[in-house]
Amino acid sequence: MTTQSQSQQFYTLDQFKQAADAIRSQTDHRPEIALVLGSGLSPLADEITDANIIPYQDIPHFPHSGAPGHAGRLVIGKLGDKTVLVMQGRTHFYEGYSPQHITFPIRVMSVLGIKTLILTNAAGGVNRQFQAGDLMLITDHLNFVGMAGFHPLRGPNLDEFGPRFPSMTEPYNPELIGLAGEVAGQNNLSLRQGVYAYLAGPSFETPAEIRMLAALGADAVGMSTVPEAIIANHSGIRVLGISSITNVAVAAFGSGLETTHEEVLATGKTIVPRLMLLLKGILEKLP
Ligand code: HPA
C-alpha cells in the first residue's frame, strides 16, 4: 500500500515529461498561461469553455489532494480569448506531501510551455488595515517552511529547468503586478499589495505568531503558493500571486475571535466574482 507520506522525494526529468505527455495526449489545447485556484476559488474554473478535464489521478506522478474545498483536476480550455491551463485545487505540505511533490505540477507546466503562472490562495490578513474580503497582490514572500529546510529546490538540481542558485529578488513579476493594478483601476476594484508569509499549517496561527509575522513585515499569512512561485521562477515562468484575504488573523489573546476553515471557504466564495473580473481583465491584457 502506498500513502501520501511515501511520495518520492526527488523527481527526474523523465517523470516530468511522462506527466506532460499524458496531458498533451488528452487535449488539443496548447496553453501558455496557467492558473492555480486556492481554497474556495474552484468555481472560477466553471467559466472555462471548450474544456478538457483531466483528474490529477490520471496523470503519472501528479499529487492529488484530499483537502475539503480542493477539487483535484486540470481544466484546460478557453477563458475569454486566451487558452489556459487551470489547476482546480492544489496539494499542501500539511497533507504530508514533500515540497518537491507539491511543486511537481509546476515543472510539468514548464515542460508544457507555460510562460505565465497566476497563483491564487486564501490567506489571513496580518496587516491591520486589511479586511476579510480584500484582494491582495503578492509583492514578495517570507518562506518560513523553506528556511526550516523544506525547500522545493532541495536535492539534485535539474539544469534543464534552471540554475542551482536561482535569484529570488523579484519572485512576483513587476510587469504583471502593474498590469493587475491597471485592470483593478479600470474596474473600480480595490486591491491591496503586500508580503505573503508561508507557514506549514495545518493549525492556524496563535496570536503571538501573528504579532511575530507583523513585526517581520508580513501582510498576509497562508499555507501554499510560495513553493510553486519558487519552482516557477527557477524555470523562468513569470508569476503573479493573488491572495484572497478570507479572514483577519487574530493577534490578541482573549479576543474571543477565532479563525475557522468554514470562514475561509465562505469568504472565499464572496470574493470569487471580483477575482474573476480581475483575472479576466489580466488575461485580456496578456500577449
Ligand atoms: N492563516 C493561515 N492560512 C490561512 C488563513 C490564516 O488565517 N486564512 C486562510 N488561509
Side-chain angles (χ1 to χ4, degrees):
M1 196 183 85
T2 58
T3 65
Q4 291 164 3
S5 60
Q6 287 169 315
S7 71
Q8 187 185 325
Q9 202 175 7
F10 305 123
Y11 295 86
T12 62
L13 183 59
D14 270 352
Q15 290 176 310
F16 295 112
K17 286 182 174 167
Q18 282 164 20
D21 286 345
I23 294 165
R24 275 202 203 99
S25 73
Q26 298 205 42
T27 181
D28 292 328
H29 294 297
R30 293 293 176 261
E32 294 190 357
I33 302 165
L35 272 126
V36 178
L37 301 181
S39 298
L41 307 176
S42 281
L44 290 174
D46 299 339
E47 304 232 1
I48 294 168
T49 56
D50 199 9
N52 297 116
I53 293 171
I54 313 171
Y56 294 161
Q57 62 258 38
D58 293 352
I59 308 169
H61 320 296
F62 234 67
H64 40 96
S65 176
H70 292 265
R73 53 193 210 161
L74 283 187
V75 182
I76 309 172
K78 289 275 187 190
L79 195 54
D81 67 336
K82 295 295 188 311
T83 304
V84 293
L85 176 146
V86 174
M87 284 186 69
Q88 202 176 25
R90 58 152 68 85
T91 53
H92 303 82
F93 187 59
Y94 62 74
E95 294 173 77
Y97 302 94
S98 67
Q100 291 77 13
H101 204 183
I102 291 167
T103 52
F104 184 89
I106 309 299
R107 285 196 159 162
V108 174
M109 289 176 190
S110 168
V111 175
L112 288 171
I114 295 295
K115 304 282 185 269
T116 304
L117 172 62
I118 303 176
L119 298 169
T120 68
N121 63 43
V126 173
N127 185 320
R128 294 289 102 202
Q129 312 280 312
F130 289 7
Q131 292 169 347
D134 280 349
L135 285 169
M136 183 191 91
L137 295 178
I138 304 176
T139 53
D140 202 347
H141 67 225
L142 291 163
N143 182 9
F144 285 104
V145 183
M147 290 177 213
F150 297 97
H151 196 288
L153 288 170
R154 180 173 173 269
N157 188 58
L158 294 178
D159 297 333
E160 292 85 353
F161 289 105
R164 170 76 289 184
F165 301 108
S167 161
M168 239 5 98
T169 43
E170 283 184 349
Y172 304 90
N173 186 271
E175 255 177 71
L176 293 176
I177 290 173
L179 212 137
E182 270 175 45
V183 173
Q186 288 161 0
N187 289 281
N188 256 325
L189 279 174
S190 90
L191 256 193
R192 310 283 197 172
Q193 292 200 359
V195 174
Y196 175 91
Y198 169 47
L199 302 191
S203 54
F204 290 115
E205 301 70 36
T206 67
E209 286 165 349
I210 292 301
R211 294 195 301 273
M212 175 197 77
L213 293 174
L216 295 179
D219 296 293
V221 56
M223 308 173 192
S224 70
T225 302
V226 167
E228 296 147 308
I230 290 170
I231 291 296
N233 272 278
H234 181 245
S235 65
I237 297 173
R238 305 193 304 167
V239 175
L240 179 67
I242 308 173
S243 289
S244 290
I245 306 298
T246 53
N247 57 284
V248 168
V250 179
F253 175 77
S255 67
L257 300 170
E258 195 181 28
T259 298
T260 65
H261 189 56
E262 289 66 35
E263 179 189 11
V264 168
L265 293 181
T267 311
K269 250 185 215 160
T270 70
I271 297 174
V272 165
R274 275 179 291 134
L275 185 53
M276 193 70 208
L277 193 64
L278 181 64
L279 289 174
K280 278 183 175 165
I282 293 168
L283 288 177
E284 261 172 42
K285 287 183 189 277
L286 285 176

